[in-house]
């Protein structure tokens, strides 16, 4: 079974730096293969190949962002070095030390091992679901950016992913929202009730094209609530 999604998602990994120089040059893995995360998802080898080739063909590269802030680029990835190997997505980046204030913070953190995370922003183009294990394999991704983040642990990236979705006017899936509520301390029953009585109605309205202004207003309320929501 294949699945396509038009919602940008975020996935974080332990930062595996191979080198970090005083000049701001660094290299490391932005994604790893075979790592089943808290979404019960795993990235398959080959998932980034088409996206990298497409970016190269357009004469473009990818930004290094600070904490997924689109208005806070702190460097760029060398698209000619961005590639897949047996372990994952490997590449060389250059921090803009003279132009981006957080670039210096990022470099100092990487060299001291105080900042140890990379996180990718991407769109899912193709995936498959194993009906027995319920593991979703991501087979084709459109890579948008690779961020340096201070708290990588991929099991804890859900709140950032949902915030990013809502900020772009998209609603999270019911399973993701329920899991978020469980992690925030709600019981399984409470999480299901909250999600199914509130979010489920919005999702139906959105899919049926009904009450567009009401859905947008509710999404804005959800966005404000998530901004104050910490796990």
């Amino acid at each position: 079974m294949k699945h396509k999604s038009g919602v940008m998602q975020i996935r974080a990994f332990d930062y595996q730096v191979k080198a970090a120089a005083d000049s701001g040059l660094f290299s490391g893995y932005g994604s790893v293969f075979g790592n089943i995360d808290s979404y019960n998802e795993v990235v398959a080898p080959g998932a980034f190949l088409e996206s990298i080739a497409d970016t190269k063909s357009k004469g473009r590269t990818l930004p290094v962002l600070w904490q997924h802030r689109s208005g806070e680029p702190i460097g760029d990835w060398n698209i000619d070095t961005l590639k897949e190997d047996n372990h994952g997505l490997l590449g060389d980046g250059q921090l803009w030390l003279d132009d981006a204030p957080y670039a210096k913070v990022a470099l100092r953190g990487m060299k001291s091992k105080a900042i140890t995370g990379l996180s990718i922003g991407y769109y899912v183009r193709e995936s498959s679901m194993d009906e027995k294990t319920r593991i979703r394999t991501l087979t084709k991704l459109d890579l948008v950016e690779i961020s340096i983040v201070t708290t990588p642990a991929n099991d804890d990236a859900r709140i950032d992913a949902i915030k990013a979705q809502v900020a772009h006017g998209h609603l999270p899936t019911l399973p993701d929202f329920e899991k978020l509520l469980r992690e925030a301390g709600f019981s399984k029953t409470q999480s299901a009730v909250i999600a199914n009585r509130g979010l489920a109605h919005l999702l139906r309205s959105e899919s049926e094209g009904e009450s567009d202004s009401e859905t947008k207003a509710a999404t804005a309320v959800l966005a404000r609530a998530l901004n104050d929501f910490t796990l």
Side-chain angles (χ1 to χ4, degrees):
M1 179 176 68
K2 290 186 177 181
H3 174 79
K4 294 186 179 182
S5 171
V7 178
M8 194 180 94
Q9 300 183 28
I10 294 170
R11 173 179 293 264
F13 298 89
D14 287 332
Y15 181 74
Q16 299 187 38
V17 64
K18 294 172 70 68
D22 291 339
S23 63
L25 287 170
F26 69 98
S27 63
Y29 286 94
S31 177
V32 295
F33 301 136
N35 180 20
I36 301 173
D37 66 9
S38 59
Y39 295 94
N40 222 26
E41 293 180 343
V42 61
V43 178
F48 300 102
L49 295 180
E50 286 191 21
S51 180
I52 294 172
D54 185 55
T55 301
K56 284 184 179 180
S57 70
K58 294 177 180 177
R60 297 172 48 212
T61 188
L62 295 173
V64 178
L65 297 185
W66 177 247
Q67 313 285 2
H68 291 294
R69 300 173 189 168
S70 59
E72 201 82 62
I74 60 173
D76 60 88
W77 291 91
N78 183 337
I79 194 66
D80 291 326
T81 67
L82 203 59
K83 63 181 181 180
E84 292 188 8
D85 65 11
N86 292 332
H87 184 67
L89 179 67
L90 177 65
D92 297 335
Q94 171 70 61
L95 295 173
W96 300 336
L97 298 177
D98 295 329
D99 304 299
Y102 280 111
K104 294 181 179 179
V105 175
L107 180 60
R108 181 164 183 171
M110 286 190 291
K111 295 188 73 174
S112 68
K113 307 299 183 183
I115 295 176
T116 59
L118 282 181
S119 183
I120 59 174
Y122 61 93
Y123 292 92
V124 178
R125 290 309 174 205
E126 288 186 5
S127 66
S128 61
M129 176 69 75
D130 186 314
E131 299 300 338
K132 292 183 179 180
T133 63
R134 302 305 299 169
I135 294 174
R136 184 186 182 203
T137 300
L138 308 179
T139 54
K140 186 182 294 186
L141 303 176
D142 281 349
L143 190 61
V144 178
E145 51 91 2
I146 307 175
S147 288
I148 294 175
V149 295
T150 51
T151 52
N154 63 345
D155 286 349
D156 299 324
R158 183 172 297 103
I159 182 63
D160 291 327
I162 291 179
K163 280 183 179 181
Q165 290 179 20
V166 174
H168 286 83
H170 301 291
L171 293 172
T173 65
L174 279 175
D176 282 350
F177 194 58
E178 283 189 39
K179 215 165 187 179
L180 175 66
L181 292 170
R182 289 287 303 279
E183 291 175 357
F186 291 95
S187 69
K188 184 177 181 179
T189 300
Q190 290 171 330
S191 300
V193 170
I194 293 171
N196 283 283
R197 290 187 180 177
L199 182 61
H201 172 73
L202 291 177
L203 290 171
R204 284 195 300 272
S205 298
E206 185 179 55
S207 64
E208 295 169 1
E210 298 177 357
S211 305
D212 186 56
S213 60
E214 181 180 342
T215 300
K216 288 182 178 179
T219 303
V221 172
L222 179 59
R224 289 196 295 272
L226 287 172
N227 282 334
D228 296 327
F229 189 9
T230 56
L231 297 177

